[in-house]
Amino acid sequence: MEELASELLKELNCDTAFSIKLPAGLPLIGGVQLDIAESVVITWVVMAVILILSIILTSNLKVHNVSRRQLVTETIVTKLEGIVTGMIGEEGKRYVPYLVSVLLYLGISNIIGLFGMKPPTKDLNVTAALALMSIVLVEAAGIRKKGVGGWIKSFTEPIAIVTPINILEVFIKPLSLCMRLFGNVLGAFVIMELLKLLVPVALPVPFSFYFDIFDGLIQAYVFVFLTSMYIKEAIE
């Protein structure tokens, strides 16, 4: 049992992939060693995959006599934009590209365990950064729509007495987004690792289909759905 716990902790640990020592001559940060986490490297891999696919799929686009590749690409983009637009509404359409990008990143990140890599969303720092970016976008959308004065006034609605609760929500929302994504991805990862350690190789396959694929994609959808809902509330 101790060996099992040790193996599981090893899998859960977010290791340092490599370190960079800054030159000593730099002001303030000279000689500082930067530890690059494994989750950051895997995030770079995911970003590279998305970028390379985007370049390949969008090269040589035509208006007439389009290729099958272009048709597939246009269908995927249209479907993804349609899903996100359905969540956020026509008024928030300017935020669709960001939300689609997050959906793609999370979808690939959550299923990357199938290729023997640890999902970067298993690192609390990654989910916290994503949640913070989303909430900054939510508040910026509110300011853009209502102006600074209107945004501040919105904290007193529907009545002034709830102002402290509305202010508290600004901090609760990113915490909720962060912990929901982190908890679900981590939980699925723990279950799959336990199954791999305790049972024969073939048995975890159907569980892998659920936890590594279905659950991972669902969590990506939920994160984007909640962000869209918060933006929609902010711009109403």
Side-chain angles (χ1 to χ4, degrees):
M1 198 64 183
E2 290 181 4
E3 188 177 332
L4 175 62
S6 176
E7 186 68 24
L8 189 57
L9 286 172
K10 183 180 177 182
E11 290 294 331
L12 291 175
N13 186 41
C14 187
D15 300 322
T16 298
F18 61 91
S19 299
I20 301 174
K21 191 167 184 178
L22 300 177
L26 292 175
L28 299 178
I29 57 173
V32 173
Q33 179 171 297
L34 299 177
D35 295 328
I36 308 301
E38 185 181 18
S39 57
V40 175
V41 176
I42 296 174
T43 291
W44 291 341
V45 171
V46 174
M47 291 166 59
V49 168
I50 294 174
L51 179 61
I52 292 169
L53 285 176
S54 298
I55 293 172
I56 293 173
L57 295 175
T58 58
S59 61
N60 299 320
L61 297 181
K62 300 176 182 177
V63 177
H64 304 290
N65 299 321
V66 298
S67 63
R68 184 175 299 178
R69 171 177 55 81
Q70 182 174 337
L71 285 174
V72 171
T73 303
E74 289 178 354
T75 301
I76 292 171
V77 171
T78 302
K79 291 292 184 184
L80 288 174
E81 287 185 343
I83 290 170
V84 177
T85 303
M87 299 178 195
I88 200 170
E90 290 294 326
E91 197 171 353
K93 207 165 183 179
R94 62 166 57 93
Y95 306 107
V96 169
Y98 167 79
L99 293 171
V100 169
S101 299
V102 173
L103 183 62
L104 285 172
Y105 167 74
L106 287 176
I108 295 174
S109 296
N110 290 346
I111 65 173
I112 207 166
L114 293 172
F115 303 98
M117 291 183 277
K118 296 179 184 177
T121 42
K122 184 181 64 64
D123 185 351
L124 185 58
N125 295 310
V126 173
T127 57
L130 286 168
L132 185 61
M133 288 167 57
S134 292
I135 295 305
V136 167
L137 179 63
V138 169
E139 300 307 321
I143 294 172
R144 182 188 179 98
K145 175 68 177 179
K146 303 171 184 176
V148 176
W151 175 70
I152 294 173
K153 186 180 178 182
S154 67
F155 289 103
T156 64
E157 296 173 352
I159 54 176
I161 197 172
V162 300
T163 300
I165 297 175
N166 288 336
I167 294 174
L168 191 61
E169 276 190 353
V170 175
F171 303 96
I172 292 174
K173 285 176 180 177
L175 182 63
S176 171
L177 282 173
C178 168
M179 298 311 296
R180 184 190 301 273
L181 179 61
F182 172 73
N184 280 284
V185 173
L186 181 62
F189 183 81
V190 170
I191 291 172
M192 281 309 304
E193 289 302 319
L194 284 171
L195 287 171
K196 289 175 185 176
L197 291 170
L198 294 174
V199 298
V201 176
L203 189 58
V205 171
F207 294 97
S208 178
F209 179 80
Y210 176 80
F211 289 112
D212 286 337
I213 302 177
F214 180 74
D215 184 63
L217 296 178
I218 285 294
Q219 295 312 315
Y221 176 86
V222 169
F223 185 93
V224 171
F225 172 77
L226 290 174
T227 303
S228 301
M229 185 180 68
Y230 294 151
I231 294 175
K232 195 173 182 179
E233 289 176 354
I235 62 179
E236 283 181 347

